[in-house]
């Protein structure tokens, strides 16, 4: 899909605050309310905008202990990969999972209360998944950048 400058600005504004009204956006963009509505609708229908979400403050919900866990599978058989991916989808502590190249097969971003909570997660959930050969965990010291915005 081709994006003109107005589309890019519109997407920028929506990524900053998706609860803005079409009227507010039309004022910022210098377009009619109908024109803004139609642009948004087109981007939703084509899948450019896939969903709207509420971003939570991890500190306020007591999930600010962030772990990046590198996972190595025992083998790279298709059935092992698919089973691991299916099982990791059910782990509510895992907020992101990436299949990667290099020394490890996956990187998981995990949000828990504290080190004890992470230990319990490892013992009762993660290590019960089949086909995991090894794990390596890194713990967040501070968050330098965290954004969901994609600039076009």
């Amino acid at each position: 899909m081709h994006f003109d400058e107005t589309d890019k600005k519109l997407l920028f504004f929506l990524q900053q605050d998706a609860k803005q009204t079409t009227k507010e956006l039309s004022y910022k963009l210098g377009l009619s309310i109908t024109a803004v509505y139609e642009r948004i609708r087109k981007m939703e229908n084509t899948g450019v905008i896939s969903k709207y979400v509420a971003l939570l403050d991890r500190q306020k919900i007591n999930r600010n202990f962030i772990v990046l866990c590198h996972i190595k599978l025992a083998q790279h058989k298709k059935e092992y990969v698919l089973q691991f991916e299916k099982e990791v989808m059910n782990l509510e502590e895992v907020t992101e999972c990436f299949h990667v190249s290099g020394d490890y097969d996956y990187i998981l971003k995990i949000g828990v209360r504290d080190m004890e909570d992470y230990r319990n997660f490892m013992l009762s959930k993660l290590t019960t998944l089949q086909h995991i050969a090894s794990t390596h965990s890194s713990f967040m010291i501070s968050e330098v950048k965290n954004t969901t915005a994609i600039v076009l």
Side-chain angles (χ1 to χ4, degrees):
M1 182 172 173
H2 172 72
F3 301 101
D4 63 18
E5 287 306 310
T6 303
D7 288 331
K8 291 176 184 179
K9 287 178 187 174
L10 176 57
L11 288 169
F12 174 80
F13 292 141
L14 286 172
Q15 288 182 97
Q16 297 303 308
D17 179 7
K19 286 188 74 172
Q20 295 177 80
T21 65
T22 310
K23 184 177 181 179
E24 291 170 318
L25 292 166
S26 70
Y27 176 77
K28 289 179 180 180
L29 295 167
L31 295 174
S32 70
I33 294 171
T34 303
V36 171
Y37 173 80
E38 289 301 324
R39 283 176 183 258
I40 292 172
R41 189 171 134 107
K42 180 180 178 184
M43 288 188 265
E44 289 171 344
N45 289 339
T46 59
V48 171
I49 297 173
S50 60
K51 63 183 167 181
Y52 297 92
V53 298
L55 301 176
L56 306 181
D57 184 324
R58 287 193 306 265
Q59 189 99 23
K60 291 181 180 174
I61 61 168
N62 202 18
R63 292 289 185 274
N64 59 325
F65 190 79
I66 303 301
V67 183
L68 297 177
C69 183
H70 297 68
I71 306 285
K72 189 178 290 190
L73 296 182
Q75 293 181 21
H76 295 111
K77 290 182 178 180
K78 182 178 181 180
E79 63 200 61
Y80 288 14
V81 167
L82 294 177
Q83 182 175 1
F84 174 80
E85 290 177 358
K86 180 180 176 187
E87 291 175 346
V88 83
M89 294 295 287
N90 295 320
L91 301 175
E92 63 189 32
E93 295 86 351
V94 176
T95 57
E96 297 178 58
C97 175
F98 302 99
H99 193 179
V100 297
S101 63
D103 293 338
Y104 292 92
D105 300 309
Y106 292 91
I107 299 175
L108 308 180
K109 182 177 178 184
I110 301 164
V112 291
R113 288 188 301 273
D114 52 28
M115 182 63 83
E116 182 180 348
D117 200 23
Y118 181 61
R119 183 178 190 277
N120 290 335
F121 168 77
M122 286 290 289
L123 295 175
S124 65
K125 294 183 179 181
L126 191 62
T127 58
T128 65
L129 301 185
Q130 295 181 14
H131 313 304
I132 294 178
S134 66
T135 65
H136 175 85
S137 299
S138 299
F139 307 100
M140 180 180 77
I141 295 170
S142 69
E143 187 171 83
V144 177
K145 181 177 181 179
N146 180 354
T147 183
T148 59
I150 299 171
V151 180
L152 300 178

